[in-house]
Amino acid sequence: MSWRASVITLFPDVFPGPLGASVIGRGLETGAWSLDTHFLRDYAHDKHRTVDDTPAGGGAGMVLKPDILAAAIDDVAPADDPRPKLVMSPRGVPLTQKRVRELASGPGAVVVCGRFEGIDQRVIDARGLEEVSIGDYVLAGGEVAAMVLLEAVVRLLPGVLGAQESHEDESFEAGLLEYPHYTRPQVFEDREIPAVLTSGDHGKVERWRRSQAEALTAARRPDLWAEFKREKP
Ligand code: SAM
Protein backbone atom coordinates (compact mmCIF):
# COMPACT_ATOMS: atom_id res chain seq x y z
CA MET A 1 0.00 0.00 0.00
CA SER A 2 1.45 3.34 -1.00
CA TRP A 3 1.19 6.54 1.04
CA ARG A 4 -2.40 7.74 0.64
CA ALA A 5 -3.63 11.33 0.80
CA SER A 6 -7.37 11.98 1.03
CA VAL A 7 -8.37 15.62 0.72
CA ILE A 8 -11.76 17.02 1.72
CA THR A 9 -12.37 20.31 -0.08
CA LEU A 10 -14.89 22.64 -1.69
CA PHE A 11 -12.54 22.89 -4.69
CA PRO A 12 -11.55 19.35 -5.73
CA ASP A 13 -10.79 20.55 -9.26
CA VAL A 14 -7.68 22.42 -8.13
CA PHE A 15 -6.01 19.06 -7.30
CA PRO A 16 -3.49 17.72 -8.12
CA GLY A 17 -2.45 21.12 -9.54
CA PRO A 18 1.26 21.54 -8.89
CA LEU A 19 1.31 18.11 -7.22
CA GLY A 20 0.92 16.66 -10.71
CA ALA A 21 4.22 18.17 -11.89
CA SER A 22 7.83 17.02 -11.79
CA VAL A 23 8.97 14.40 -9.26
CA ILE A 24 5.82 14.64 -7.14
CA GLY A 25 3.61 14.08 -10.18
CA ARG A 26 5.82 11.23 -11.35
CA GLY A 27 5.42 9.66 -7.89
CA LEU A 28 1.66 9.88 -8.36
CA GLU A 29 1.91 8.17 -11.75
CA THR A 30 4.23 5.42 -10.54
CA GLY A 31 2.12 4.76 -7.43
CA ALA A 32 4.67 5.95 -4.82
CA TRP A 33 1.69 7.83 -3.36
CA SER A 34 -2.00 8.21 -4.18
CA LEU A 35 -4.43 11.10 -3.95
CA ASP A 36 -8.21 11.07 -3.68
CA THR A 37 -10.27 14.23 -3.37
CA HIS A 38 -13.72 14.51 -1.83
CA PHE A 39 -16.15 17.32 -2.62
CA LEU A 40 -17.60 18.59 0.65
CA ARG A 41 -20.88 19.61 -1.02
CA ASP A 42 -21.54 15.94 -1.82
CA TYR A 43 -22.22 15.47 1.91
CA ALA A 44 -24.77 18.30 2.21
CA HIS A 45 -28.36 17.15 2.49
CA ASP A 46 -30.49 20.12 1.38
CA LYS A 47 -31.30 21.02 -2.18
CA HIS A 48 -28.85 23.97 -2.18
CA ARG A 49 -26.07 21.67 -0.92
CA THR A 50 -25.36 24.07 1.93
CA VAL A 51 -22.06 23.52 3.76
CA ASP A 52 -21.86 26.71 5.83
CA ASP A 53 -23.93 28.90 8.11
CA THR A 54 -23.66 32.19 10.00
CA PRO A 55 -21.44 32.30 13.09
CA ALA A 56 -23.09 31.73 16.43
CA GLY A 57 -22.67 34.94 18.43
CA GLY A 58 -22.65 37.06 15.28
CA GLY A 59 -19.82 38.57 13.28
CA ALA A 60 -18.55 38.48 9.73
CA GLY A 61 -18.24 35.51 7.41
CA MET A 62 -19.58 31.99 7.41
CA VAL A 63 -18.62 28.85 9.31
CA LEU A 64 -18.37 25.31 7.90
CA LYS A 65 -21.12 23.20 9.45
CA PRO A 66 -19.97 20.38 11.76
CA ASP A 67 -22.50 17.75 10.66
CA ILE A 68 -21.60 18.04 6.97
CA LEU A 69 -17.86 17.92 7.60
CA ALA A 70 -18.22 15.03 10.07
CA ALA A 71 -20.17 13.04 7.45
CA ALA A 72 -17.38 13.64 4.93
CA ILE A 73 -14.64 12.64 7.39
CA ASP A 74 -16.50 9.49 8.49
CA ASP A 75 -17.00 8.45 4.89
CA VAL A 76 -13.41 9.14 3.81
CA ALA A 77 -11.77 7.80 6.98
CA PRO A 78 -13.86 5.25 8.90
CA ALA A 79 -12.95 4.62 12.56
CA ASP A 80 -10.36 1.95 11.70
CA ASP A 81 -8.47 4.19 9.26
CA PRO A 82 -5.03 4.59 10.88
CA ARG A 83 -4.15 7.84 9.07
CA PRO A 84 -3.87 11.10 11.02
CA LYS A 85 -6.68 13.55 10.31
CA LEU A 86 -5.39 17.05 9.67
CA VAL A 87 -7.15 20.34 9.12
CA MET A 88 -5.29 23.24 7.55
CA SER A 89 -5.63 26.29 9.79
CA PRO A 90 -3.68 29.49 10.48
CA ARG A 91 -4.32 28.76 14.18
CA GLY A 92 -2.67 25.37 13.94
CA VAL A 93 0.74 24.17 15.05
CA PRO A 94 3.25 25.49 12.47
CA LEU A 95 4.36 22.74 10.08
CA THR A 96 7.99 21.68 10.52
CA GLN A 97 10.29 19.33 8.65
CA LYS A 98 10.16 17.07 11.74
CA ARG A 99 6.36 16.71 11.48
CA VAL A 100 6.68 16.29 7.70
CA ARG A 101 9.12 13.41 8.27
CA GLU A 102 6.76 11.79 10.80
CA LEU A 103 3.87 12.05 8.36
CA ALA A 104 6.01 10.58 5.57
CA SER A 105 6.82 7.55 7.73
CA GLY A 106 3.11 6.83 8.33
CA PRO A 107 0.41 5.37 6.07
CA GLY A 108 -0.84 8.72 4.71
CA ALA A 109 -3.09 11.56 5.82
CA VAL A 110 -6.63 12.83 5.62
CA VAL A 111 -6.50 16.57 4.98
CA VAL A 112 -9.45 18.92 5.48
CA CYS A 113 -9.27 22.25 3.64
CA GLY A 114 -11.09 25.06 5.41
CA ARG A 115 -12.82 27.99 3.73
CA PHE A 116 -14.73 31.06 4.82
CA GLU A 117 -14.30 32.33 8.39
CA GLY A 118 -13.53 28.93 9.85
CA ILE A 119 -14.81 25.51 10.91
CA ASP A 120 -17.23 24.70 13.74
CA GLN A 121 -14.99 23.80 16.71
CA ARG A 122 -17.14 20.80 17.65
CA VAL A 123 -16.18 18.78 14.60
CA ILE A 124 -12.50 19.60 15.15
CA ASP A 125 -12.81 18.25 18.70
CA ALA A 126 -15.16 15.35 17.96
CA ARG A 127 -13.02 13.94 15.12
CA GLY A 128 -9.69 14.76 16.78
CA LEU A 129 -8.49 16.90 13.88
CA GLU A 130 -4.88 18.09 14.15
CA GLU A 131 -4.78 21.76 13.19
CA VAL A 132 -1.75 22.50 10.98
CA SER A 133 -0.56 25.94 9.87
CA ILE A 134 1.86 26.60 7.03
CA GLY A 135 2.85 30.00 8.40
CA ASP A 136 1.80 33.18 10.15
CA TYR A 137 -0.34 34.67 7.38
CA VAL A 138 -3.91 34.08 6.25
CA LEU A 139 -4.80 32.38 2.96
CA ALA A 140 -8.28 32.40 1.42
CA GLY A 141 -8.62 28.63 1.82
CA GLY A 142 -6.86 25.45 2.88
CA GLU A 143 -6.23 24.01 -0.59
CA VAL A 144 -2.87 25.67 -1.27
CA ALA A 145 -1.84 24.95 2.34
CA ALA A 146 -2.75 21.27 1.86
CA MET A 147 -0.67 21.17 -1.32
CA VAL A 148 2.30 22.65 0.55
CA LEU A 149 2.00 19.97 3.22
CA LEU A 150 1.55 17.14 0.71
CA GLU A 151 4.45 18.27 -1.47
CA ALA A 152 6.76 18.46 1.55
CA VAL A 153 5.75 14.94 2.64
CA VAL A 154 5.66 13.22 -0.73
CA ARG A 155 9.17 14.27 -1.73
CA LEU A 156 10.44 12.27 1.27
CA LEU A 157 8.67 9.05 0.25
CA PRO A 158 10.85 6.21 -1.02
CA GLY A 159 11.31 6.32 -4.78
CA VAL A 160 10.10 9.90 -5.26
CA LEU A 161 13.39 11.81 -5.34
CA GLY A 162 16.14 10.43 -7.56
CA ALA A 163 19.65 9.85 -6.20
CA GLN A 164 20.60 13.19 -7.74
CA GLU A 165 18.14 15.00 -5.50
CA SER A 166 18.88 13.65 -2.05
CA HIS A 167 17.35 15.51 0.86
CA GLU A 168 19.78 14.52 3.60
CA ASP A 169 21.81 17.75 3.41
CA GLU A 170 18.87 20.06 3.12
CA SER A 171 17.71 22.96 5.24
CA PHE A 172 16.22 21.78 8.57
CA GLU A 173 17.35 18.15 8.21
CA ALA A 174 20.35 18.72 10.49
CA GLY A 175 18.69 21.54 12.41
CA LEU A 176 20.50 24.11 10.23
CA LEU A 177 19.69 26.09 7.09
CA GLU A 178 21.53 24.87 4.03
CA TYR A 179 24.86 26.32 2.83
CA PRO A 180 24.94 28.40 -0.41
CA HIS A 181 25.23 26.69 -3.79
CA TYR A 182 27.33 27.59 -6.84
CA THR A 183 27.74 26.19 -10.34
CA ARG A 184 29.44 27.19 -13.60
CA PRO A 185 30.42 29.68 -14.94
CA GLN A 186 33.46 30.15 -12.72
CA VAL A 187 32.97 33.94 -12.89
CA PHE A 188 29.52 35.56 -13.02
CA GLU A 189 29.40 39.37 -13.22
CA ASP A 190 32.83 39.62 -11.55
CA ARG A 191 31.77 37.23 -8.76
CA GLU A 192 33.87 34.08 -8.42
CA ILE A 193 32.89 30.72 -7.02
CA PRO A 194 34.54 30.52 -3.55
CA ALA A 195 37.96 28.98 -4.15
CA VAL A 196 37.49 26.25 -1.53
CA LEU A 197 34.72 24.68 -3.64
CA THR A 198 37.05 24.15 -6.59
CA SER A 199 40.05 23.08 -4.46
CA GLY A 200 39.25 19.37 -4.75
CA ASP A 201 39.76 18.99 -0.97
CA HIS A 202 36.55 17.29 0.20
CA GLY A 203 37.32 17.76 3.88
CA LYS A 204 37.80 21.48 3.39
CA VAL A 205 34.60 21.71 1.33
CA GLU A 206 32.64 19.91 4.09
CA ARG A 207 34.03 22.22 6.80
CA TRP A 208 33.32 25.34 4.71
CA ARG A 209 29.74 24.24 4.01
CA ARG A 210 29.20 23.48 7.66
CA SER A 211 30.49 26.88 8.79
CA GLN A 212 28.35 28.64 6.16
CA ALA A 213 25.27 26.70 7.30
CA GLU A 214 25.94 27.64 10.92
CA ALA A 215 26.57 31.32 10.12
CA LEU A 216 23.41 31.56 7.99
CA THR A 217 21.29 29.89 10.63
CA ALA A 218 22.64 32.12 13.41
CA ALA A 219 22.04 35.26 11.31
CA ARG A 220 18.64 34.43 9.84
CA ARG A 221 16.99 32.09 12.32
CA PRO A 222 18.02 32.74 15.91
CA ASP A 223 15.21 30.40 17.00
CA LEU A 224 16.66 27.43 15.05
CA TRP A 225 20.19 28.37 16.08
CA ALA A 226 19.28 28.39 19.77
CA GLU A 227 17.63 24.98 19.42
CA PHE A 228 20.63 23.62 17.50
CA LYS A 229 23.03 24.86 20.20
CA ARG A 230 20.81 23.37 22.90
CA GLU A 231 20.83 19.95 21.24
CA LYS A 232 24.48 20.00 20.13
CA PRO A 233 26.32 22.30 22.55
N1 SAM B 1 -10.75 33.25 10.28
C1 SAM B 1 -9.62 32.39 10.23
C2 SAM B 1 -8.57 32.88 11.23
O1 SAM B 1 -8.48 34.07 11.44
O2 SAM B 1 -7.83 32.03 11.78
C3 SAM B 1 -9.03 32.37 8.81
C4 SAM B 1 -9.82 31.56 7.85
S1 SAM B 1 -9.07 31.49 6.25
C5 SAM B 1 -9.77 32.87 5.44
C6 SAM B 1 -9.92 30.15 5.49
C7 SAM B 1 -9.17 28.82 5.51
O3 SAM B 1 -7.92 28.96 4.86
C8 SAM B 1 -8.83 28.27 6.86
O4 SAM B 1 -9.94 27.58 7.44
C9 SAM B 1 -7.69 27.32 6.54
O5 SAM B 1 -8.15 26.07 6.09
C10 SAM B 1 -7.00 28.02 5.39
N2 SAM B 1 -5.79 28.76 5.81
C11 SAM B 1 -5.63 30.10 5.80
N3 SAM B 1 -4.42 30.44 6.22
C12 SAM B 1 -3.76 29.30 6.51
C13 SAM B 1 -2.45 29.01 7.02
N4 SAM B 1 -1.58 29.96 7.31
N5 SAM B 1 -2.14 27.71 7.20
C14 SAM B 1 -3.01 26.73 6.93
N6 SAM B 1 -4.26 26.95 6.46
C15 SAM B 1 -4.63 28.22 6.24
Side-chain angles (χ1 to χ4, degrees), residues 88-91 114-117 132-135 137-142 145:
M88 306 316 298
S89 162
R91 292 194 320 210
R115 278 274 157 183
F116 316 127
E117 205 51 38
V132 180
S133 167
I134 63 155
Y137 38 79
V138 180
L139 304 169

Side-chain angles (χ1 to χ4, degrees), residues 11-96:
F11 297 95
D13 294 349
V14 304
F15 290 88
L19 301 177
S22 187
V23 287
I24 308 293
R26 218 154 36 237
L28 198 51
E29 275 169 24
T30 59
W33 70 295
S34 71
L35 172 68
D36 41 87
T37 52
H38 305 268
F39 186 29
L40 187 58
R41 274 192 210 287
D42 285 345
Y43 297 90
H45 23 68
D46 64 330
K47 74 172 193 295
H48 301 295
R49 306 175 92 195
T50 308
V51 294
D52 56 335
D53 207 336
T54 54
M62 299 295 275
V63 176
L64 285 178
K65 288 162 70 63
D67 48 341
I68 312 297
L69 184 52
I73 293 168
D74 294 346
D75 182 44
V76 172
D80 60 349
D81 191 317
R83 295 175 297 164
K85 296 190 262 302
L86 318 176
V87 58
M88 306 316 298
S89 162
R91 292 194 320 210
V93 175
L95 186 62
T96 59

